[in-house]
Amino acid sequence: MKIGIIGAGNIGGNLTRRLTALGHDVSVANSRGPETLKDLAQETGATPVRAEEAARDAQVVVVTVPLKAVPDLPAGLLDGAAEGVAVIDTGNYYPQQRDGRIAAIEDEGLTESRWTERHLGHPVIKAFNGTYAQDILDRGRPAGDPERMALPVAGDDEDAKRTVRDLIGELGFDTVDAGGIDDSWRQQPGTPVYALRAGTEAVRKALAEAPPERPADFRG
């Protein structure tokens, strides 16, 4: 598949490494420009591009930037993407640690991914938000392996969700359907499933046990 990755930090960089290794055609962008991505491009064979170009013809786009940076993404970011593009949001809201207070999340009760979705103007699939970046490189396992981890995946577009779940399967992880984007609070920071390294049944249990109140450490 043609995949665009917007954000070349720990998650974006390691997804670039793994997805190129699987044979996907990956374009990668960051906020500093393609010239700063030469080393990653040389290592992986990915194509460094400007953020405005990352989604061009892409069947999957990964948005993996700090939440506070989402409003600064270029307008029309997804205009050139393939029809039916699946957009993965890996983001988390860290009001005290990084992002500052976001009123729509705090006061209106929007989930983090619903807020991101509104800025992008396109449905998103929430995935990888509670995954350690190094695990993307190190913890993939074949299907059926007893040590194979499961990742929660939330989203409203069932076709896009299936595309994302299949891609995660290629990376060596099982997935658990975590519901729609309005349910994605169950995998936000501070919930039982966040950063959980476990299999399918444990992930399902953790999602079910999530309390609706945002933990104090993750309130602005």
Side-chain angles (χ1 to χ4, degrees), residues 10-25:
N10 293 333
I11 294 288
N14 284 352
L15 283 174
T16 299
R17 292 177 176 94
R18 290 286 287 115
L19 292 169
T20 52
L22 289 168
H24 294 288
D25 178 2

Side-chain angles (χ1 to χ4, degrees), residues 18-36:
R18 290 286 287 115
L19 292 169
T20 52
L22 289 168
H24 294 288
D25 178 2
V26 177
S27 296
V28 61
N30 65 8
S31 61
R32 295 176 293 138
E35 65 279 359
T36 66

Side-chain angles (χ1 to χ4, degrees), residues 38-209:
K38 288 178 181 176
D39 289 347
L40 182 62
Q42 187 171 23
E43 175 191 346
T44 64
T47 303
V49 296
R50 295 182 303 129
E52 294 89 335
E53 302 165 340
R56 186 173 298 159
D57 300 322
Q59 297 153 286
V60 174
V61 173
V62 183
V63 178
T64 180
V65 301
L67 216 67
K68 66 180 181 180
V70 168
D72 298 326
L73 291 171
L77 186 70
L78 301 167
D79 288 352
E83 184 176 356
V85 61
V87 179
I88 301 174
D89 167 35
T90 77
N92 291 308
Y93 175 46
Y94 300 120
Q96 299 175 32
Q97 301 89 342
R98 182 190 65 195
D99 298 313
R101 189 179 193 277
I102 297 176
I105 293 175
E106 298 284 358
D107 302 334
E108 297 176 37
L110 291 186
T111 60
E112 299 160 7
S113 286
R114 184 67 78 194
W115 181 84
T116 295
E117 183 177 272
R118 289 187 178 183
H119 279 282
L120 295 177
H122 192 283
V124 302
I125 305 298
K126 189 176 189 73
F128 298 112
N129 73 291
T131 307
Y132 290 103
Q134 194 62 33
D135 288 354
I136 293 170
L137 296 183
D138 298 344
R139 287 191 173 242
R141 298 288 188 274
D145 189 303
E147 294 187 0
R148 184 159 151 127
M149 287 170 47
L151 309 184
V153 180
D156 300 331
D157 182 328
E158 292 301 323
D159 289 340
K161 189 188 286 185
R162 173 47 56 194
T163 296
V164 173
R165 294 181 72 180
D166 288 348
L167 189 64
I168 293 171
E170 279 188 61
L171 290 166
F173 302 93
D174 288 331
T175 56
V176 172
D177 190 331
I181 287 299
D182 288 337
D183 303 310
S184 64
W185 57 269
R186 293 183 179 275
Q187 66 193 77
Q188 292 178 168
T191 60
V193 82
Y194 182 77
L196 179 66
R197 289 165 158 158
T200 301
E201 291 308 314
V203 167
R204 285 199 185 103
K205 183 173 184 288
L207 287 166
E209 291 175 349

